[in-house]
């Protein structure tokens, strides 16, 4: 990096450059934007970053992002708690919520089983899901994992554990192309996949 910059500018450019999809040119442009910005605007960005790190927790029921011990969905009065929709990440939950077709509650796994990457079932919230189903009045568990092989393996693993509870297990319809991701699917595609969900045997 050019030594023509001050040390603090160099640091800011370096930090921006660590963000996904941000190359050196963009990092430089962002840093100059902050330098020229109104101080209140720049500090608002710094505070938003600080707050999201210090205030964001995991919901103690579903492991969605939350600022209280229980997330807004789990504490929502109009949610059908007998339906649990299982997703890999909070961003998948957000994509499903945007369809407006969901009245259920969620369970966020935290990823999928990937032994080669060192992600074992114990690293996910699978045991907590089984516990929820065992304890509560759950009628249906809807698997809304991404359409790829690693996620399919995770679904098989979870359904083998849930089978003993007798709960109905369904899965989003196969409208989503293999290898695609729930977070990028259109609202229409997701709504169709929700309506057409099929029972897993
Ligand atoms: Zn929750």
């Amino acid at each position: 990096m050019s030594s023509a910059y001050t040390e603090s500018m160099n640091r800011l450019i370096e930090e921006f450059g660590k963000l996904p999809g941000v190359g050196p040119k963009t990092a430089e442009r962002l840093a100059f934007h902050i330098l020229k910005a109104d101080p209140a605007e720049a500090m608002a960005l710094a505070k938003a970053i600080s707050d999201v790190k210090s205030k964001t927790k995991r919901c103690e029921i579903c492991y969605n992002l939350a600022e209280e011990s229980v997330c807004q969905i789990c504490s929502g009065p109009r949610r059908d708690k007998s339906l649990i929709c299982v997703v890999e990440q909070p961003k998948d939950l957000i994509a499903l919520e945007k369809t407006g077709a969901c009245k259920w509650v969620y369970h966020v796994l935290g990823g999928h089983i990937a032994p080669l990457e060192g992600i074992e079932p114990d690293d996910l919230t699978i045991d907590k899901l089984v516990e929820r189903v065992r304890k509560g009045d759950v009628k249906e568990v809807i698997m809304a994992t991404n359409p790829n092989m690693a996620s399919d393996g995770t679904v098989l693993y979870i359904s083998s554990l849930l089978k003993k509870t007798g709960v109905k297990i369904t899965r989003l319809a196969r409208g989503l192309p293999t290898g695609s991701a729930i977070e990028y699917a259109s609202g229409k595609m997701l709504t169709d996949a929700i309506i057409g969900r099929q029972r897993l045997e």
Side-chain angles (χ1 to χ4, degrees):
M1 199 176 296
S2 167
S3 56
Y5 289 124
T6 61
E7 196 198 322
S8 57
M9 268 299 271
N10 268 335
R11 258 177 47 215
L12 188 56
I13 294 168
E14 201 183 307
E15 291 304 325
F16 276 131
K18 291 177 188 167
L19 299 176
V22 177
K25 284 271 168 239
T26 305
E28 218 170 14
R29 205 155 45 85
L30 291 172
F32 269 105
H33 173 80
I34 296 295
L35 184 68
K36 283 188 283 180
D38 179 65
E41 193 189 314
M43 292 320 285
L45 173 65
K47 185 159 183 337
I49 293 172
S50 157
D51 281 356
V52 83
K53 293 309 289 179
S54 64
K55 293 186 178 170
T56 309
K57 298 186 269 195
R58 293 288 174 165
C59 169
E60 57 188 38
I61 300 172
C62 75
Y63 298 88
N64 182 22
L65 303 178
E67 288 200 353
E68 309 294 334
S69 52
V70 173
C71 78
Q72 290 186 338
I73 291 175
C74 286
S75 56
R78 275 182 228 99
R79 294 285 171 161
D80 185 348
K81 298 197 169 66
S82 71
L83 304 177
I84 298 180
C85 178
V86 177
V87 295
E88 291 177 44
Q89 302 289 356
K91 55 191 175 187
D92 302 326
L93 176 159
I94 288 161
L96 289 164
E97 281 295 297
K98 278 185 185 160
T99 65
C102 312
K103 297 287 168 263
W104 49 46
V105 290
Y106 290 90
H107 192 89
V108 181
L109 293 173
H112 53 243
I113 302 167
L116 292 179
E117 294 159 44
I119 307 168
E120 303 287 344
D122 285 353
D123 299 315
L124 308 173
T125 62
I126 294 173
D127 51 339
K128 303 287 191 303
L129 171 66
V130 176
E131 207 179 299
R132 274 178 85 184
V133 174
R134 275 209 194 111
K135 271 203 290 199
D137 271 330
V138 182
K139 284 193 227 126
E140 182 180 348
V141 172
I142 303 118
M143 298 291 184
T145 51
N146 286 314
N148 61 55
M149 274 173 67
S151 300
D152 287 353
T154 308
V155 166
L156 278 178
Y157 180 82
I158 294 174
S159 36
S160 73
L161 292 177
L162 287 179
K163 225 160 233 169
K164 296 166 208 155
T165 70
V167 73
K168 179 178 173 189
I169 306 166
T170 59
R171 177 165 209 186
L172 291 193
R174 290 300 205 162
L176 305 170
T178 302
S180 68
I182 285 182
E183 62 174 306
Y184 302 124
S186 73
K188 165 89 173 69
M189 215 182 246
L190 284 178
T191 308
D192 288 348
I194 292 167
I195 293 167
R197 64 183 188 267
Q198 287 147 359
R199 192 167 190 148
L200 268 184
E201 291 312 329

